[in-house]
Amino acid sequence: MKCLLLCAGYATRLFPLTKNFPKALLEVGGRAILDYIIDEVNTLDEVDQIYLVTNDKYAPHFEKWAENKNNIKPITVFNDKTTNNENRLGAIGDIQFIIENANIDDDILVMATDNLFSFKLRDFVDFQKAKGTPAVCVKEEDYESLKRLGVVEADKNNKIVGFEEKPEQPKGKFAAYAEYLYPREVVPVFKQYIDEGNNIDAPGNFVAYLYKKMPVHAFSFTGECYDIGTHEALAQVNDIYSNK
């Protein structure tokens, strides 16, 4: 299994902190956000390689971080050569960028790097193995919060039967979070998705496309998942992790 870390966004809502420095390397509780995520990835024996994709502005920061990290699993940093929000590849475009440049022919764990979570990736991987299908992490949220998120409808067996991005009237009760597991046979579908002209920005769009073609299951986790998208959210999460 390969782990794909998405770090190519520009985090404009966190300017000036992220004007010349990547969000994933901002510190909470005295450690980089990304360090907490790597700790969880390192618990997975299945993962034998970590690939991180970033943009031209942030690439030197991640290259220095990876070199100093000396992680137990090898980390390769890919620069997608984009320079701003106007020419960025989008999350799904960056997934395909890694697939092509690393010649991936394996199961993939795809993760955003601006969420900190308290559930165990081991439980997510075991769930996906039991189902044998693509899987996405979801959490039950209140009705108003769902209007700002990707909303998943799932049947009694956790199979996804509906997916909407930021619906005015949510039909499901679960919000999708940016942790995904895709079996090897799904990897070529990313190119097909892009070639068909579909939206390549939010990674949830691929789930919305995929569940109509094959079974996809939702892993409902308990615990916390913090989206560090604003100065207020960063300060809140920093307080939480500083007190742990």
Side-chain angles (χ1 to χ4, degrees), residues 44-74:
L44 303 176
D45 292 338
E46 294 87 345
V47 172
D48 58 7
Q49 182 73 241
I50 299 170
Y51 297 117
L52 183 155
V53 62
T54 187
N55 55 55
D56 198 55
K57 178 186 286 189
Y58 297 153
H61 296 286
F62 283 112
E63 288 164 356
K64 182 179 179 181
W65 166 83
E67 182 179 351
N68 292 335
K69 182 76 174 169
N70 192 27
N71 196 51
I72 60 173
K73 297 179 185 293

Side-chain angles (χ1 to χ4, degrees), residues 3-66:
C3 176
L4 280 58
L5 301 176
L6 306 179
C7 302
Y10 289 86
T12 54
R13 289 184 297 166
L14 279 168
F15 276 17
L17 289 177
T18 52
K19 189 170 181 63
N20 294 297
F21 192 80
K23 176 171 32 173
L25 294 183
L26 293 176
E27 290 194 354
V28 296
R31 300 181 71 207
I33 295 167
L34 189 54
D35 286 334
Y36 294 100
I37 296 170
I38 291 293
D39 284 351
E40 272 299 305
V41 175
N42 284 342
T43 67
L44 303 176
D45 292 338
E46 294 87 345
V47 172
D48 58 7
Q49 182 73 241
I50 299 170
Y51 297 117
L52 183 155
V53 62
T54 187
N55 55 55
D56 198 55
K57 178 186 286 189
Y58 297 153
H61 296 286
F62 283 112
E63 288 164 356
K64 182 179 179 181
W65 166 83

Side-chain angles (χ1 to χ4, degrees), residues 148-164:
R148 304 188 300 271
L149 302 165
V151 177
V152 169
E153 293 177 77
D155 67 16
K156 63 181 181 180
N157 296 314
N158 301 111
K159 180 183 174 184
I160 294 177
V161 295
F163 190 104
E164 287 184 282

Side-chain angles (χ1 to χ4, degrees), residues 60-239:
H61 296 286
F62 283 112
E63 288 164 356
K64 182 179 179 181
W65 166 83
E67 182 179 351
N68 292 335
K69 182 76 174 169
N70 192 27
N71 196 51
I72 60 173
K73 297 179 185 293
I75 301 172
T76 302
V77 176
F78 285 108
N79 179 355
D80 70 7
K81 302 297 184 181
T82 66
T83 55
N84 53 56
N85 267 332
E86 284 64 49
N87 64 14
R88 63 195 176 98
L89 299 183
I92 299 172
D94 273 315
I95 292 169
Q96 180 59 24
F97 181 87
I98 301 176
I99 289 170
E100 291 179 357
N101 283 274
N103 295 312
I104 293 177
D105 182 23
D106 200 351
D107 299 345
I108 57 175
L109 167 64
V110 179
M111 304 178 68
T113 53
D114 53 1
N115 291 334
L116 279 179
F117 50 86
S118 61
F119 67 89
K120 297 300 181 184
L121 286 179
R122 176 76 266 156
D123 294 337
F124 181 34
V125 171
D126 290 345
F127 171 87
Q128 188 275 326
K129 282 185 174 181
K131 295 296 185 183
T133 70
V136 57
C137 287
V138 303
K139 187 174 186 288
E140 192 167 345
E141 298 283 3
D142 65 81
Y143 188 79
E144 290 303 314
S145 296
L146 289 170
K147 294 179 180 180
R148 304 188 300 271
L149 302 165
V151 177
V152 169
E153 293 177 77
D155 67 16
K156 63 181 181 180
N157 296 314
N158 301 111
K159 180 183 174 184
I160 294 177
V161 295
F163 190 104
E164 287 184 282
E165 281 285 353
K166 301 178 181 178
E168 291 185 8
Q169 296 181 313
K171 296 175 184 176
K173 63 180 181 179
F174 295 108
Y177 283 87
E179 290 86 28
Y180 313 90
L181 274 164
Y182 296 112
R184 177 182 185 179
E185 60 268 20
V186 174
V187 170
V189 182
F190 283 94
K191 185 176 188 306
Q192 176 184 326
Y193 174 94
I194 293 171
D195 289 346
E196 290 175 6
N198 292 295
N199 187 322
I200 59 174
D201 193 11
N205 289 320
F206 185 73
V207 177
Y209 170 89
L210 195 64
Y211 89 86
K212 297 175 183 176
K213 296 182 173 296
M214 65 181 69
V216 180
H217 284 85
F219 170 72
S220 178
F221 66 88
T222 55
E224 300 303 325
C225 188
Y226 304 102
D227 180 6
I228 307 171
T230 65
H231 289 274
E232 293 76 17
L234 177 62
Q236 178 188 22
V237 176
N238 189 42
D239 284 343

